[in-house]
Amino acid sequence: MPSNVIVGLQWGDEGKGKITDLLSKNSDYVIRYQGGNNSGHSIHINDRHFVLHSIPSGIIYSYVNCIIGPGVVIDPKYLIKEIKNLEFFGIKTDKIYISNIAHVIMPYHRLLDKYQEEYLGKMSIGTTHCGIGPAYADKIGRIGIRIIDLMDKNLFRIKLKKNICFKNKIITKIYKKDPISFEDIYEEYIEYAKIIHHRIIDAVYKIHDAFYKGKKILFEGAQATLLDINYGTYPYVTTSSCSTGGVCTGSGIPPVFLKNFIGIAKAYCTRVGNGPFPTEIKGDENDIIRDEGDEYGSTTNRPRRCGWLDLVSLKYSCMINGINHLIITKLDVLSKLKVIKVCTKYQYIEKIIKYFPSNIGVNDDIKGVYIEFPGWEKKISHIRDYNNLPDNCKKYIKFIEYYLNVKILLISVGPDRTQNIIINKHFFEKIFS
Ligand code: GDP
Ligand code: IMO
Ligand code: MG
């Protein structure tokens, strides 16, 4: 059975958690393939609210196998906390599996993340300080520690010692901070290994086996295309391949396993952290959108920067990911606005352009050029049938579809699992029910 991929098309927080949970109902496997606990994926079910950081958003369904895949970086301290928290709320966690070749986030990664940000000062990325960048840097530098290494005390001891010796040189000589202790970290991680060891699997074989048995597999992207290490607004990005290309490298499967590439975009834009944001709103509408959309980081609680929908970057994201189904979330958030702007071009220095410039990350002289839509100024969160949406709302949606030339599968009109308008019912029922 060909697999489905959910991927964010903007700068993260598009509602991937909500949509993954929704589509998990009819999935056998939900797999994270990149990123780490820098993610915060929210799920609302009636009055219950969960935020998942490393665990796939299929976990609410007790029958779904949730794999933290090979391409993820795992902080066992926070993963164990997350598992315990779910158990506290009565969620079954016995189907959480961890790839043996995923890399481990160590305390020195968290410290180095913070120290590098301090060093960069005004040029800082605005990271989550979770240690994601330094952990991926060690992976690429071939000095990383993998989950499988924690299972071999001697090997772990040797690798950790070498790493700590090297990191302490950086910490003390470059950053002028206190060194870290080998013994403390060694003991701490040996304890974590005991707690998680029964979940550790060869994920590559498990995923292939599931595929050939005809199981329904959903890949859940974290972060988003404009934060992708290669194709995002570099250097203001995260350090993994968040776009659909990352599914294969992050889970050990060939591209032919994949069929439906479902892109998630908000009806506007947000960004948390630093970096270019051509459609950022400087006026009152920023506060309206932030308040209505509750735009505060799920991981760091930082206020998110808000802006108008940017169709130029969205088209680029659809192209990078090969999106064949689009989901628009948070349309309800725009309900109070009299006028809604949509960016269809950029003003780039003196020129008008219709493409996403590759040096956008180092050039803040890029501004959105807009067309305006009259708002619908009515609540829409209760609507479940597309035909019942206000006309101005439909015009907005149709324009997005027309510009991107991708069909909209579903519109989300509220945080709850039930607050959806399914447009392509045929596809949805065939694949997800
Ligand atoms: P993710 O990282 O992509 O999973 O997104 P987050 O969970 O970080 O942020 C999305 C936020 O918007 C969460 O608080 C969701 O509960 C909420 N949300 C998702 N879809 C909708 C929607 O259609 N309308 C509203 N008002 N909130 C939504
Ligand atoms: P989800 O999965 C939004 C941002 C950080 C920072 C940049 C680099 O919830 O959509 P990092 O800690 O990854 O090195 O930070 O990336 N960032 C996110 N922004 N949603 C996320 O995840 C993010 N994960 C990282 O704010 O700008
Ligand atoms: Mg999030």
Side-chain angles (χ1 to χ4, degrees), residues 219-430:
F219 290 94
E220 176 185 12
Q223 291 78 52
T225 312
L226 302 180
L227 288 172
D228 183 286
I229 182 70
N230 290 301
Y231 306 108
T233 48
Y234 190 90
Y236 298 96
V237 290
T238 190
T239 45
S240 62
S241 295
C242 320
S243 39
T244 51
V247 180
C248 294
T249 53
S251 49
I253 58 146
V256 288
F257 275 25
L258 305 174
K259 185 165 186 203
N260 299 304
F261 302 96
I262 303 165
I264 320 281
K266 283 182 195 181
Y268 50 93
C269 282
T270 61
R271 167 156 215 173
V272 58
N274 306 330
F277 187 178
T279 64
E280 185 165 17
I281 303 170
K282 300 290 182 198
D284 295 345
E285 290 110 332
N286 194 318
D287 297 345
I288 296 178
I289 292 176
R290 184 179 296 137
D291 290 349
E292 290 297 306
D294 196 18
E295 293 296 357
Y296 295 89
S298 312
T299 299
T300 55
N301 214 25
R302 289 176 292 180
R304 294 178 183 145
R305 299 155 66 192
C306 299
W308 301 113
L309 184 67
D310 177 351
L311 288 177
V312 182
S313 65
L314 202 49
K315 200 169 174 89
Y316 166 82
S317 290
C318 288
M319 176 181 84
I320 294 283
N321 291 300
I323 296 303
N324 40 22
H325 302 274
L326 185 65
I327 290 183
I328 298 291
T329 60
K330 306 194 86 161
L331 188 63
D332 54 299
V333 172
L334 302 181
S335 292
K336 277 198 177 159
L337 298 170
K338 284 192 165 43
V339 173
I340 298 169
K341 294 191 191 179
V342 179
C343 165
T344 55
K345 294 172 195 161
Y346 293 147
Q347 180 172 344
Y348 178 42
I349 313 175
E350 298 288 289
K351 283 194 289 189
I352 298 291
I353 58 169
K354 276 189 92 172
Y355 60 89
F356 190 74
S358 38
N359 63 345
I360 187 166
V362 289
N363 195 327
D364 55 13
D365 199 9
I366 296 174
K367 301 275 173 286
V369 177
Y370 301 97
I371 60 171
E372 293 188 355
F373 285 81
W376 44 92
E377 299 185 77
K378 270 190 203 121
K379 288 197 169 165
I380 57 166
S381 296
H382 58 286
I383 296 178
R384 301 289 174 269
D385 182 340
Y386 178 78
N387 296 318
N388 296 337
L389 283 173
D391 284 346
N392 284 351
C393 194
K394 286 189 213 154
K395 280 182 193 152
Y396 186 67
I397 286 293
K398 280 286 157 212
F399 185 75
I400 297 172
E401 217 171 33
Y402 159 78
Y403 187 102
L404 299 176
N405 196 22
V406 183
K407 287 281 176 213
I408 297 177
L409 169 63
L410 183 147
I411 299 168
S412 170
V413 289
D416 196 81
R417 196 188 245 180
T418 57
Q419 290 179 294
N420 306 304
I421 299 171
I422 300 171
I423 312 273
N424 186 348
K425 290 203 173 83
H426 173 71
F427 173 82
F428 196 86
E429 274 156 24
K430 191 167 142 218

Side-chain angles (χ1 to χ4, degrees), residues 12-14 16 39-42 298-299 304:
D13 306 325
E14 296 90 350
K16 299 177 291 295
S39 308
H41 292 187
S42 319
S298 312
T299 299
R304 294 178 183 145

Side-chain angles (χ1 to χ4, degrees), residues 172-209:
T172 57
K173 294 198 178 357
I174 297 180
Y175 292 120
K176 313 275 183 228
K177 306 278 187 186
D178 295 336
I180 48 171
S181 147
F182 165 78
E183 284 305 332
D184 289 354
I185 296 177
Y186 177 75
E187 294 301 332
E188 184 186 340
Y189 275 68
I190 287 298
E191 282 310 304
Y192 296 150
K194 285 184 199 156
I195 300 173
I196 61 170
H197 83 276
H198 64 288
R199 301 182 184 277
I200 300 171
I201 55 160
D202 186 322
V204 175
Y205 276 104
K206 194 169 174 81
I207 299 168
H208 278 255
D209 188 51

Side-chain angles (χ1 to χ4, degrees), residues 19 47 67 103 124 139 149 163-164 245 248 255 257 282 321-322:
I19 300 300
D47 52 359
I67 300 183
H103 277 245
S124 72
K139 173 178 176 171
D149 303 330
N163 263 294
I164 290 195
C248 294
F257 275 25
K282 300 290 182 198
N321 291 300

Side-chain angles (χ1 to χ4, degrees), residues 40-54:
H41 292 187
S42 319
I43 301 173
H44 288 257
I45 306 163
N46 300 322
D47 52 359
R48 294 198 305 168
H49 178 202
F50 303 95
V51 181
L52 297 163
H53 298 284
S54 296

